[in-house]
Amino acid sequence: MAVLRPSGDFDTSYEHDLAVVRQRWQWALLLLLLLALFTLPYYAPAPTVSLINRIGIAIIAVQGLNILTGYTGQISLGQAAFMTVGGYISALLVGAAGWSFFLALPVAGLGAGLVGLIFGLPSLRVKGFYLVMATLSAQFIIPWLTRHIYPSLLNGAQGINVPVPTFSLPVIANTCFLGTTFNAELGTCVYRFATPSQFIHITLGVLIVSTIVALNISRSRLGRALISVRDNDLAAELLGVNLFAYKLKAFFIAAVYAGVAGALLAHNLRHINSQTVGLVDSIMFMGMLVVGGLGSNLGPILGATLVVLLEELATVLAPPAAALLPTLAGGATAALKPLLFGLALMLFLIFEPRGLAHRWMLIKAAWRLRPYAR
Amino acid sequence: MRKWTLIMLVALMGLVLLAACGSPATPTEPTAAPPTAAPPTTAAPTAAPTTPPEAPAEPTAVPVQEPDKRTQNLEGEKITFYHFGDLSGPYAAITGPLVFGMEDAVKAINERGGIRGATIEVRFADTGGSIDEAVAAYDRFVGSDPNAMIMITYGSGEVEALASRFAEDKIVNLSAGLSAIGFYGPESGYTFGLGPIYPDQFGLFLDYITANWATIKPASAGDEIKLAYLSWPGAFGQGALTPKTRAYAESLGVQIVAEETYDLSPTADTTTAILNAQAAGANVIWTNTLAFGPAALMNGLGALGLKQEFVLGGCNWAMDLATYAFVSDPSLAVGLISPFPYLWWNNADHPGIQYAASLFEANGRPAGARNVGYLMLVTGVDIAVQAIEKAIDTVGFDNLNGEAIYNALTTMGPIEALNGVVRVDYANGVRAPQQAQIRQIQGGPDAFNVLQDWTQMPDLRP
Amino acid sequence: MLTVNNIEVVYSDVILVLRGISLKVEPGQIVALLGANGAGKSTTLKAISGLLLRENGAVTRGSIEFEGRRLDKLPAEEITRLGIAQVLEGRRLFQHLTAEENLLTGSLVRPNNRSEIKESLERVYAYFPPLVKLRHRTAGYLSGGEQQMVAIGRALMARPRLLLLDEPSLGLAPLLVQTIFAMIRQYNHESGVSMLLVEQNAHVALQTAEYAYVMENGRIVLDGPAEQLAQNADIKEFYLGLTAVGERKSYRDVKHYKRRKRWLG
Amino acid sequence: MNWQLLPQFAITGLLNGGPIALMALGIVLVFKSSEVFNFAHGQMLLIGAMAAWWFASPEGMGLPLWAAIIAALAVSVLLGLAIERLTLRPMTGQPLLSIILMTLALGQFLQGLTIFVFGTTQRNFPVIFSVTNPYRITLPLTYNDNPIVVVLRQNLVWSFVIAMICVIVLVLFFQYTRTGLAMRATAENHETAQSVGIRINHVFGISWAIAGVIAAISGILIATASGLDLSLSIVVLAAFPAVLLGGLESIPGAVLGGLIVGLAQGLVGLPNNSFFMGPAAAQAIRNSAEIVPYILLLIVLVIRPDGLFGQKRIERV
Amino acid sequence: MTASENFLTVEDVTLYFGGNAALCEVSFGVRRGEILAIIGPNGAGKTSMLNCISGFYRPQHGRIRFKGHDLTKTPTHKIAALGLARTFQNIALYTGLSTLDNLMAARHIHMRQNSLQSILYWGYARREEVAHRRRVEEIIDFLEIAHIRKTIVGALPYGLRKRVELGRALALEPELLLLDEPMAGMNVEEKEDMARFILDIYERQGTTIVLIEHDMGLVMDISDRVVVLDFGQKIAEGTPDEVKRDEKVIHAYLGDA
């Protein structure tokens, strides 16, 4: 959507014009970035890796929300509830049914998507606050269900312990390669994604796929239909877009993203219960989206990064704050997190309502307008 | 199409990286034997999670003693205690004082010269009662200290979620969250309780009421004991209700006639739960909650005028100063019965309690903090120090790690922490104390009086 | 009394709607502003009443003065408080309030003097007798003519010195239009309140007003005393699109090359 | 079904609905005037009650209870005014999502602020109504020849009475004062209100101030019943569906919505034998009070998208 | 004029809002390949009429037939696929999309890729995007909006937005084009441009056009026939010259006196 383009970059075909990554140097940069991310555990301290892992999971959840709220304009406070669904499905499939995590992950996404469809149904009849409330109800009903249905399986409010994702390789020449360990029960070499340094590769892999999907949606028939529902639903309908079908599709896709993020989270935490992610997280995701920039593919990445870093800042600031104000004792983190998040979000809403992604575009455009910029 | 080949390339590179990155993870698993060379036909030395939790408990794992190990004069050295607590979430109501207890106990030990001269450092993380915060804090701790060896936790949910990590990373966890899964779950093993697990407590309570039913039963009740389990939803609240405890209750002839939950909040409305219990014919109520849980029940009972209709019992946390803070009229609290695995502040002539009281005075803590959390942490620090000293004696300071402390704990035999404020014995796969008294609130906070002295509790481990 | 001085109005920073409008209302006078749909009459009125600001519009040039005070930067509520009452286009009542409550909202700008307000209310009922029976009816369920009476009555409750009326005849049956305009005339005679009347219905407007301006395309193209304009045979031409401002070429005759040239130039 | 206890649960539920209705009313009030759905109402509740505690407690000012409550109300008025001026006025004309997020963010901010000022410790709110002597009312009904006695906590009854008094006072205020008229007019249409000279920013301010007072009263009522801690801010979650059940803009709707929510929450808790379903399902239903309002809401949204008592839209061309 | 001749027939359409009739038994026909103007004073029901035809309002009585389909019974989102497109009085563009994407969005009904293909963006979906892009570029060339191809329409000036909206309607490749005040708020030059575009569409593609317009001069110049509405009723129909002389029309505009 960029208007301005570096000089020397001409469109020679529609394919080229439609391409997302346009130039060799951009490809090189992208590859470098990916390489840097994937090799992170080798050079970054473990807490940083763990932090980036959390950011990655948050980005996936917010990308889903971006499709629903940013593209389609349907406000949802239920994203965390759909994450819970995905987390439980994957936990049960891997834990109780013994599936491979890599098979359970997409199934968890689809399962959450179906639940998302159900809570998207009211969007047929209601808009605005009423729809917010309908999605908010998911935030109450789904956790309640996990606490009260099939207690023998879901273990009620206690929640369930979730296995570590593993990846099995055959034993070659009596040796296990690539950091795997021999598992006598299975007779194979098993790689366990246990620590953040190991798990981050799953998160990054999923993140790449989710980003590509989001990009494809935004530049295709589906994405334009969704945006037309957002920008002018009446006109969209008169121009042949089946509003209901596309709203439901948006709810489905958003919930699939949430389900995948929830499954990642559950396996990362190794535990899930009805409170693992809750209403506050739904609010946070919405906040990340607005801070990052609604309807932009860059938005979720920037927003989730900033907000998670802000949370981290609260954790870092908590001890000195507690030292300054003894009444705070241990409540400093609890005070600082909502305080900083609330304040940041309010300031963004007032001073930068279009989010960081928009600011980034402006900076980029300004740079290109400089003489001799390349 | 060039783009897609490139994407495929990226994906391929990603896969390679994914596989290659396995190696940096190995340092976190301190098992010395390289598993890569294991022949598939034999039972290979596998990583900790695949072994049964009891396995490393045997003293065979104690390393060969080295002649020149350092066991004394550790001045300038540092031992870090990692500490998780909920100071801002739902459990915050009574967990504040635990920070004080920890700080004061550690400060006193450091002032006395620390552990053989090594100072103790405390790093605290507020989890807000949320598991992902706990995991994040854990990652932070472990990431910044590859030789983290001891952690102290306070919430059942956190313990359950982290238990497998403690076992994997061989970090001893002293826990005040007493749900059975954390201690005896399939992948746990490094978690030790500062109090008895809830099923055991529930069992002891059942023992007591069946034995003394004639004297304690409400006037309106018959000979049959009908119990209502009214508690919070969640790992903690439901922690005492396991298949084993159900079977145990049945074996004692106690019927569990109602299971109701109420909100995890001091403002919870308990009247619905109480009336349902009454409708089901219950005459005993058990609640597995922190102090404001029974307080909410007492308020509800008082408000409904049903206080005399029930025997009210709760786990060790139920009987606390905080119970008084939340009860709307002090008289409503009288009569609560609880298994009590530690001494109380009113055992003023006991040296352990005197020690705790002196710390409390010396640090000028607010009156409200003089509660169970404080006491438990002062005791817990004592247990930890005893175990670390034994571990240093065995392996020397330079080899001190979680596994050594684990071995020390499991081979120490009966420990009378703080001269017997708590009695524990972590041998033979038991990971929580199994002795407690039964006490009853008979007046103010200083009248938590003993109904039954130290007894072995029924063993209801899963 | 009211002077509009060569104003220019732009919506959303881009759409130029008024291109230099000037008009005057003298004390006690009824002035009509005529023009076809979309000529810019309502915008002129909104510029005076301050409601432009709400619609992302702004006066970018010129000035509006009322009794010597500049109005063009004030919000609507303050302008009303200066003594300019407005009857908005389309009879915008508070639909869920009763007729009388609607009237009372008009008196909110004046001090809370019960007897005085009661007197004003009686006066409005005297001018619009049908309202007496309807005073406790929900305004949204009144008929169009009744709603128009309430809307005008509400404006009168503020005891304004200048009354702005935006298309009071819109969507009303001819007979009702006559009735309402009769009331407007009577009120003007009796109270001497000045009025600025925006109308599409040229006949009735010219009957009522003393002076009139005719607008087209954001400009005033004709003005003069009402009787004079009423005689003007060209008036009807305005409404059927044939301005008297010289001959005009047919739109069909615009040539492609001419457009091209403009783009290139 | 336990018929013996039905009246008990129904009446308790209904009385519990009083404070819910009051909270719903506070939200509706702000929405009607400024079309802002105040998700931060729970935090206003919390701050009001915390302020009352601080003024009354010997740890704080140690004022007599009545003075403390008045002081808390004053604080809440200031809070309401500050919220309107500092956070919502800059948002005029922004899209719905921004406004929703603004109050959500505000809620988080206020929650953090409360912790910052008061810490996380729970407080014991001064006892206003006796907690040990419930009212026992014998209904003129019998079941199996047993008279039906309803036991009602004093604070339950009085909370309800005070909530209803507040509702009535507000309704009278709207109906019979000039400010009330200006507020109702503004609620209908901002532009028209401006055109008759109503200063709508003042009206917004007044609405927020009143909402602050209402929030503080609800907060104090709930705190007297069961102590005061941070969880007070989530009590309001039961009021959100009540607002929409009533129809978002309707004051009687909010009150009825609150009562319906209370009643429904009371009725699901009724001891139900497992006649239709297994004991586990029966227990699950007894514990469904937290989601019942939302299930009711979903049903109502499907049947009547404008809520049960939503104002019928009077449409014209 | 019989129904069979008619491309679009409006029969006895009556539309109420609450108790008020916005349209009252309005009937008229549109022939294939003509420009029909609907005129009338403010509030006469012109836009309501257009809304009924495009399926946005559902009249309580009467029928609207388009190529044999009863539009009053067709789901709104299926009407565009029958070959009917419109523009809006207060421009209803997708403000967050670029000019190009606005036009591509209108190709929705002509595209066959399903949502899964969209997500994969591989093979058919990709080829289809390129093919439709070609069509859209032709329209962009025709309307001379190539320079704003990638500008977000929210940032465009009013006149250009009107033109983009016309382009979006053209991208539907309609047989019947409904234009609601296409020249409102434009200066004379812009109006001349717009008139030329409308005539070009009409002349080159033979598209049938129904338009609402206030500028009488323009209406008289470019339309083949005119329908006059007042108070929701049709008061006149005929060629521009006939209508201009009609007493009822003159009264409607000057007011009954």
Side-chain angles (χ1 to χ4, degrees), chain B residues 87 93 259-260 266 276 303 325-326, chain D residues 120 122 124 134 153 269 271 283 286:
Chain B
L87 291 180
E259 293 167 29
E260 304 289 332
N276 268 298
F326 286 104
Chain D
T120 52
Q122 273 72 7
N124 226 358
R153 288 177 288 154
Q283 196 214 334
R286 286 201 299 280

Side-chain angles (χ1 to χ4, degrees), chain C residues 171-188:
Chain C
L172 296 186
L175 198 63
L176 260 173
V177 173
Q178 289 301 328
T179 321
I180 285 187
F181 274 83
M183 291 165 180
I184 291 173
R185 277 193 294 272
Q186 193 191 348
Y187 187 83
N188 173 259

Side-chain angles (χ1 to χ4, degrees), chain D residues 277-315:
Chain D
M277 53 218 146
Q283 196 214 334
I285 288 178
R286 286 201 299 280
N287 286 316
S288 63
E290 57 179 302
I291 60 163
V292 156
Y294 287 89
I295 290 178
L296 267 181
L297 174 71
L298 282 182
I299 296 170
V300 169
L301 284 187
V302 170
I303 301 168
R304 288 191 55 137
D306 282 332
L308 288 177
F309 308 93
Q311 286 172 339
K312 207 176 144 202
R313 301 258 174 273
I314 302 172
E315 275 189 280

Side-chain angles (χ1 to χ4, degrees), chain A residues 11-360:
Chain A
D11 291 324
T12 46
S13 70
Y14 290 133
E15 281 88 350
H16 185 211
D17 190 35
L18 290 169
V20 175
V21 184
R22 310 176 52 86
Q23 289 190 324
R24 274 168 207 279
W25 64 268
Q26 282 172 324
W27 271 112
L29 223 74
L30 188 65
L31 285 176
L32 266 175
L33 179 72
L34 287 178
L35 196 72
L37 280 174
F38 271 98
T39 52
L40 204 64
Y42 289 105
Y43 58 86
T48 312
V49 177
S50 155
L51 181 69
I52 290 180
N53 197 25
R54 276 182 287 142
I55 291 176
I57 294 173
I59 291 175
I60 296 167
V62 179
Q63 278 176 334
L65 197 61
N66 187 30
I67 288 166
L68 182 60
T69 307
Y71 291 166
T72 322
Q74 308 296 302
I75 305 169
S76 163
L77 285 180
Q79 195 73 347
F82 304 133
M83 278 180 82
T84 306
V85 175
Y88 265 97
I89 292 176
S90 180
L92 289 178
L93 288 179
V94 179
W99 287 29
S100 158
F101 168 75
F102 299 95
L103 198 59
L105 186 69
V107 177
L110 292 178
L114 291 178
V115 176
L117 269 189
I118 296 170
F119 284 94
L121 284 176
S123 67
L124 170 66
R125 296 202 57 170
V126 297
K127 283 186 188 181
F129 291 111
Y130 290 90
L131 185 61
V132 174
M133 283 296 157
T135 58
L136 188 63
S137 70
Q139 201 60 70
F140 290 90
I141 292 170
I142 289 173
W144 185 88
L145 286 177
T146 66
R147 288 197 295 274
H148 289 95
I149 56 169
Y150 299 113
S152 55
L153 204 58
L154 302 185
N155 206 14
Q158 295 185 48
I160 42 184
N161 282 330
V162 185
V164 171
T166 56
F167 188 70
S168 291
L169 288 173
V171 183
I172 301 163
N174 278 359
T175 313
C176 285
F177 291 106
L178 300 171
T180 56
T181 49
F182 180 68
N183 184 316
E185 237 171 278
L186 302 169
T188 51
C189 296
V190 172
Y191 185 82
R192 298 174 80 250
F193 295 90
T195 64
S197 319
Q198 294 157 338
F199 199 89
I200 195 167
H201 296 122
I202 299 185
T203 309
L204 288 176
V206 175
L207 187 58
I208 289 172
V209 174
S210 72
T211 309
I212 291 173
V213 169
L215 282 171
N216 283 346
I217 289 175
S218 68
R219 61 174 167 168
S220 62
R221 177 179 192 245
L222 173 62
R224 284 188 301 267
L226 295 180
I227 295 177
S228 58
V229 172
R230 171 195 75 188
D231 278 358
N232 202 317
D233 54 347
L234 300 174
E237 198 172 20
L238 296 178
L239 261 71
V241 176
N242 185 346
L243 287 188
F244 187 42
Y246 279 94
K247 282 182 185 173
L248 283 188
K249 279 176 189 175
F251 268 97
F252 179 78
I253 296 170
V256 168
Y257 270 82
V260 169
L264 289 175
L265 185 70
H267 286 271
N268 187 34
L269 298 180
R270 300 195 208 167
H271 184 89
I272 184 154
N273 66 27
S274 61
Q275 291 162 341
T276 305
V277 275
L279 178 59
V280 173
D281 298 274
S282 278
I283 297 173
M284 290 276 227
F285 292 142
M286 201 51 118
M288 290 174 190
L289 184 55
V290 168
V291 166
L294 277 163
S296 146
N297 284 315
L298 199 57
I301 298 172
L302 296 179
T305 308
L306 184 76
V307 172
V308 177
L309 284 179
L310 211 61
E311 278 192 318
E312 198 65 11
L313 180 71
T315 319
V316 174
L317 282 184
L324 279 176
L325 280 161
T327 49
L328 269 177
T333 325
L336 284 177
K337 270 190 191 176
L339 204 68
L340 285 183
F341 170 72
L343 194 64
L345 188 49
M346 288 199 293
L347 291 177
F348 262 91
L349 285 170
I350 295 174
F351 296 111
E352 189 80 274
R354 298 175 69 181
L356 287 172
H358 178 67
R359 178 60 46 193
W360 171 243

Side-chain angles (χ1 to χ4, degrees), chain B residues 32-71:
Chain B
T36 43
T41 40
T42 58
T46 51
T50 47
T51 57
E54 258 64 289
E58 300 318 311
T60 48
V62 178
V64 188
Q65 300 202 350
E66 294 161 51
D68 56 343
K69 64 193 177 190
R70 284 201 293 156
T71 57

